[in-house]
Amino acid sequence: DAGVIQSPRHEVTEMGQEVTLRCKPISGHNSLFWYRQTMMRGLELLIYFNNNVPIDDSGMPEDRFSAKMPNASFSTLKIQPSEPRDSAVYFCATTGESTEAFFGQGTRLTVV
Amino acid sequence: GNSVTQMEGPVTLSEEAFLTINCTYTATGYPSLFWYVQYPGEGLQLLLKATKADDKGSNKGFEATYRKETTSFHLEKGSVQVSDSAVYFCALSDRGRDDKIIFGKGTRLHILP
């Protein structure tokens, strides 16, 4: 298995634009997590899904952020409109039978 | 709720020094405990884990023992190498409660040659 695949690896966008981050989980993993990492706040859990259903979105910072998991092999995190303070590295991680989390390489988002 | 507290960094050591990174947790149930490592430009990867009290996780010379009485899971290594320079995260997961993985804030480790 190729592991958790995130795209794009880097994204630079202008303030106000819509940004969509993508994640392909490991096949068979039924929980998927979106994290945001910054120097100031560390690693923050934004939302997680179990069997494609959003379970806890209490970490989503505001209504500009939304996440979907239309099927077991794909999830998106969307920011609309984006702001400079959204600049961070966004990670997707998945778990299966084991409690171990497998992380993607992350998407480095820069909003200018 | 569940939480993880780990020592703040950065931690700077010379090569071959002994390493300890402290981690304590708060949990209402019986969590599994983890240490993850993040190398520059990469995602987190599992370093070691322990699933019940008194278990010792070990990998690549690193060790941590699940201490329920002190609610701790300190990371240790007897002789660090330059290649160990990275950010280390302590984490817990309580499958009896939910599927969340709770991470500490991370400790940056610099090893000087």
Side-chain angles (χ1 to χ4, degrees):
Chain A
D1 199 317
V4 177
I5 299 173
Q6 291 186 246
S7 64
R9 288 294 310 276
H10 302 274
E11 176 80 33
V12 180
T13 191
E14 291 186 348
M15 183 173 63
Q17 296 299 305
E18 178 180 292
V19 175
T20 299
L21 311 181
R22 297 172 175 80
C23 176
K24 181 179 180 345
I26 293 173
S27 176
H29 280 196
N30 56 2
S31 290
L32 183 144
F33 306 80
W34 282 101
Y35 290 92
R36 177 172 68 177
Q37 186 177 37
T38 61
M39 288 292 289
M40 292 294 292
R41 300 172 71 96
L43 196 64
E44 303 173 275
L45 175 64
L46 301 178
I47 185 172
Y48 83 93
F49 296 83
N50 185 259
N51 292 323
N52 313 337
V53 176
I55 302 300
D56 185 347
D57 65 354
S58 59
M60 296 286 261
E62 46 197 276
D63 291 346
R64 297 185 296 107
F65 285 69
S66 63
K68 293 182 180 179
M69 192 163 185
N71 56 60
S73 58
F74 185 62
S75 177
T76 60
L77 177 67
K78 187 175 293 187
I79 308 172
Q80 166 61 20
S82 58
E83 296 182 5
R85 60 191 167 123
D86 301 331
S87 298
V89 181
Y90 290 82
F91 287 104
C92 176
T94 67
T95 63
E97 290 291 321
S98 161
T99 50
E100 174 186 354
F102 292 80
F103 280 75
Q105 296 274 67
T107 296
R108 181 173 295 277
L109 173 65
T110 303
V111 183
V112 298
Chain B
N2 294 349
S3 66
V4 173
T5 303
Q6 62 181 103
M7 63 189 287
E8 293 197 17
V11 173
T12 302
L13 297 171
S14 296
E15 203 166 23
E16 299 183 4
F18 184 85
L19 167 72
T20 300
I21 300 177
N22 290 337
C23 171
T24 56
Y25 68 91
T26 301
T28 53
Y30 302 93
S32 295
L33 302 175
F34 308 86
W35 277 99
Y36 285 80
V37 59
Q38 183 180 30
Y39 298 104
E42 298 184 12
L44 282 69
Q45 55 187 274
L46 182 69
L47 179 61
L48 54 84
K49 69 177 183 182
T51 57
K52 60 183 187 297
D54 300 325
D55 269 2
K56 177 186 283 188
S58 61
N59 186 25
K60 299 180 181 179
F62 291 89
E63 293 183 339
T65 301
Y66 190 141
R67 301 282 188 203
K68 191 165 168 46
E69 63 276 14
T70 53
T71 61
S72 64
F73 192 56
H74 305 322
L75 182 68
E76 296 182 337
K77 186 174 185 181
S79 176
V80 293
Q81 306 300 312
V82 172
S83 57
D84 293 328
S85 298
V87 181
Y88 292 82
F89 293 86
C90 186
L92 73 78
S93 172
D94 186 354
R95 276 278 171 92
R97 177 186 173 95
D98 54 36
D99 283 323
K100 273 185 182 179
I101 304 171
I102 308 297
F103 286 89
K105 292 188 180 297
T107 302
R108 185 173 298 276
L109 175 66
H110 294 291
I111 305 300
L112 304 175

